[in-house]
């Protein structure tokens, strides 16, 4: 009986120990299986950061000439095709001669006749002057002889008076001719004015003849980018006959948002990409910034923008006016500075900028930082963290300082 009681006591003690051990194991297991907060993090590095202002635009030629013929004429032949290179003065088309030359010849003949008529009038007037002068001289000589004869008693008083009256008439006619405007003087003046008018008409016809020449030529060295003529057509001054473009100088007109324009300065480098030119990158520089902003439609709203002109550097085979391009103005860049991804930064209501860092023993710490310039995906850190620190990416609002976390490092 006594032995059975001892056995029961031993069994009971063993069961209690087993239960205690099991309980302690469950507590220990529960403690070790408690889930830690997981965060994705990245080791802080130094590198280069570039601020770029993006915008879309279209490549255009700087020098683009509309070749316009200034009179109506029929096209005899077109000597160039679109895409051909031309030099200044090269013939682009031949035109049928018009009647300007004929009208000019008629006016030149008219001028020659008018000059002959003027010469005749001037000769007639000069002969008249000579005759009047001779008549006055002869009348004076006759009057002097008559006076001598009268004094000698050879002629009567009446005959003397007749010679004196003839002299007075001759002198009056000569004076009237030279002092007052006679009919011939008026005719000469009219003819001179008529000649002046004819000369002006000839000059205008000469200008018209130059404008309405039988050739259309290129005003510059360049490429024929548009031909609007065909043989048999009628050329008109209201429409350009050709468009000649100088492809050695290209530009891009873009619109920069009012929020970004403060970052843009004349002379800044511009990176240029386009699907039409493949994977290569062209370069240019900001050449001009418009002095005033403008509003343009952007979807359902109006946007305020500032027009900016970009000069494309150099010449590039295969690059054509009209290509759509993507431009990025390099506004600012720094080398070998601390940079972190944008999604590490938390902005608080008071304006402070916060990052969460993980200590070597996986404890979270909240750190305020001072930031610098920003690129498309990264931001410069001026102070607050150092190279080699581990920062949390896209931190949750539920994070708390000094808790231990499970860290998933990302490159």
């Amino acid at each position: 009986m006594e032995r059975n009681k001892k056995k029961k006591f031993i069994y009971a003690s063993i069961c209690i120990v087993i239960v205690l051990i099991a309980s302690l194991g469950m507590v220990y297991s529960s403690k070790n299986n408690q889930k830690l907060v997981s965060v994705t993090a990245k080791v802080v590095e130094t590198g280069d950061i570039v601020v770029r202002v993006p915008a879309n635009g279209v490549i255009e030629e700087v020098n683009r000439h509309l070749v316009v013929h200034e009179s109506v004429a029929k096209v005899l032949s077109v000597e160039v095709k679109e895409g051909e290179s031309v030099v200044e003065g090269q013939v682009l088309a031949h035109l049928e001669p018009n009647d300007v030359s004929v009208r000019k010849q008629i006016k030149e003949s008219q001028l020659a006749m008018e000059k002959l008529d003027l010469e005749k009038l001037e000769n007639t007037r000069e002969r008249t002057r000579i005759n009047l002068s001779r008549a006055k001289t002869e009348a004076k000589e006759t009057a002097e002889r008559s006076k001598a004869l009268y004094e000698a008693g050879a002629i009567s008083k009446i005959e003397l008076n007749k010679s004196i009256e003839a002299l007075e008439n001759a002198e009056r006619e000569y004076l009237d001719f030279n002092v007052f405007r006679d009919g011939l003087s008026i005719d000469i003046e009219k003819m001179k004015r008529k000649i002046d008018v004819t000369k002006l008409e000839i000059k205008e016809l000469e200008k018209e003849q130059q404008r309405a020449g039988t050739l259309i030529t290129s005003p510059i060295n360049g490429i024929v980018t548009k031909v609007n003529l065909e043989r048999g057509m009628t050329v008109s001054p209201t429409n350009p006959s050709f468009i000649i473009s100088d492809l050695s100088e290209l530009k891009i007109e873009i619109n920069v948002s009012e929020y970004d324009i403060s970052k843009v300065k004349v002379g800044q480098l511009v990176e240029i990409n386009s699907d039409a030119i493949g994977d290569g990158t062209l370069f240019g520089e900001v050449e001009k910034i418009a002095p005033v902003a403008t509003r343009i439609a952007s979807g359902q709203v109006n946007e305020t923008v500032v027009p900016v002109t970009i000069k494309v550097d150099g010449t590039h085979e295969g690059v054509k006016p009209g290509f759509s391009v993507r431009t990025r103005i390099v506004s600012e860049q720094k080398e070998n500075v601390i940079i972190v991804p944008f999604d590490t930064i938390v902005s608080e209501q008071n304006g402070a900028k916060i990052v969460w860092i993980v200590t070597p023993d996986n404890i979270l710490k909240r750190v305020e930082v001072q930031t610098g310039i920003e690129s498309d995906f990264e931001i410069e850190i001026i102070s607050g963290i150092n190279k080699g620190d581990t920062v949390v990416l896209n931190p949750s609002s539920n994070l708390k300082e000094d808790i231990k976390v499970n860290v998933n490092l990302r490159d």
Side-chain angles (χ1 to χ4, degrees), residues 86-100:
V86 294
V87 297
E88 182 179 353
Q90 182 174 334
V91 176
L92 306 178
H94 288 89
L95 306 177
E96 188 176 81
N98 54 28
D99 66 339
V100 178

Side-chain angles (χ1 to χ4, degrees), residues 89-368:
Q90 182 174 334
V91 176
L92 306 178
H94 288 89
L95 306 177
E96 188 176 81
N98 54 28
D99 66 339
V100 178
S101 298
V102 176
R103 286 189 284 131
K104 179 171 172 284
Q105 289 175 359
I106 292 172
K107 282 295 178 182
E108 287 172 340
S109 297
Q110 179 181 325
L111 177 62
M113 294 297 296
E114 289 169 351
K115 287 181 177 180
L116 287 175
D117 290 340
L118 175 62
E119 185 180 353
K120 289 178 182 178
L121 288 171
E122 288 175 337
N123 289 339
T124 300
R125 189 175 188 278
E126 180 60 18
R127 286 195 300 271
T128 301
R129 186 193 67 78
I130 291 171
N131 291 336
L132 290 174
S133 177
R134 184 183 298 117
K136 185 184 75 165
T137 301
E138 291 175 352
K140 184 177 181 180
E141 291 174 351
T142 300
E144 288 174 352
R145 284 195 304 270
S146 295
K147 182 179 180 182
L149 291 172
Y150 174 75
E151 289 174 352
I155 61 172
S156 66
K157 181 71 172 177
I158 294 175
E159 289 174 316
L160 174 62
N161 289 339
K162 283 182 179 180
S163 63
I164 293 173
E165 184 179 355
L167 174 60
E168 290 174 349
N169 289 335
E171 289 177 339
R172 185 171 53 254
E173 287 180 2
Y174 184 80
L175 181 65
D176 288 346
F177 182 83
N178 286 282
V179 176
F180 301 104
R181 289 172 62 83
D182 60 286
L184 281 173
S185 297
I186 294 173
D187 290 342
I188 289 171
E189 187 65 27
K190 286 181 179 179
M191 185 56 66
K192 286 181 177 180
R193 290 181 180 273
K194 191 174 182 181
I195 287 172
D196 289 340
V197 170
T198 303
K199 287 180 178 179
L200 288 174
E201 290 175 343
I202 290 173
K203 284 184 178 180
E204 287 302 314
L205 287 171
E206 286 174 347
K207 292 179 182 179
E208 186 177 347
Q209 192 175 36
Q210 291 175 355
R211 294 193 300 266
T214 59
L215 301 177
I216 299 178
T217 59
S218 176
I220 61 169
N221 298 339
I223 303 294
V224 181
T225 53
K226 189 68 176 177
V227 177
N228 292 323
L229 296 183
E230 293 180 3
R231 181 180 178 183
M233 290 179 59
T234 300
V235 64
S236 169
T238 59
N239 295 311
S241 302
F242 300 89
I243 299 178
I244 310 297
S245 301
D246 180 3
L247 302 187
S248 64
E249 292 185 81
L250 300 175
K251 66 177 181 177
I252 304 168
E253 300 288 347
I254 62 172
N255 291 317
V256 176
S257 168
E258 60 180 323
Y259 304 109
D260 290 328
I261 194 62
S262 62
K263 304 175 187 175
V264 179
K265 301 290 185 293
V266 171
Q268 287 176 335
L269 176 70
V270 183
E271 300 167 341
I272 305 164
N273 296 97
S274 172
D275 294 336
I277 56 178
D279 297 331
T281 298
L282 307 181
F283 295 94
E285 68 175 43
V286 176
E287 184 177 53
K288 184 173 66 175
I289 301 171
V292 294
T294 185
R295 291 184 66 80
I296 62 172
S298 178
Q300 300 296 322
V301 297
N302 289 327
E303 181 183 4
T304 301
V305 299
V306 177
V308 173
T309 302
I310 296 169
K311 179 183 178 182
V312 180
D313 292 343
T315 57
H316 306 275
E317 187 176 351
V319 176
K320 301 180 183 300
F323 278 179
S324 297
V325 293
R326 300 177 298 277
T327 68
R328 291 177 298 173
I329 300 171
V330 179
S331 173
E332 191 174 357
Q333 52 188 334
K334 292 184 178 180
E335 297 179 352
N336 198 31
V337 295
I338 294 175
I339 52 176
V340 296
F342 258 120
D343 59 3
T344 62
I345 305 294
V346 177
S347 297
E348 299 196 331
Q349 289 184 347
N350 62 0
K353 293 182 178 179
I354 305 299
V355 297
W356 291 91
I357 66 172
V358 182
T359 65
D361 53 355
N362 287 7
I363 302 299
L364 273 182
K365 294 294 181 182
R366 178 179 177 275
V367 179
E368 183 174 347

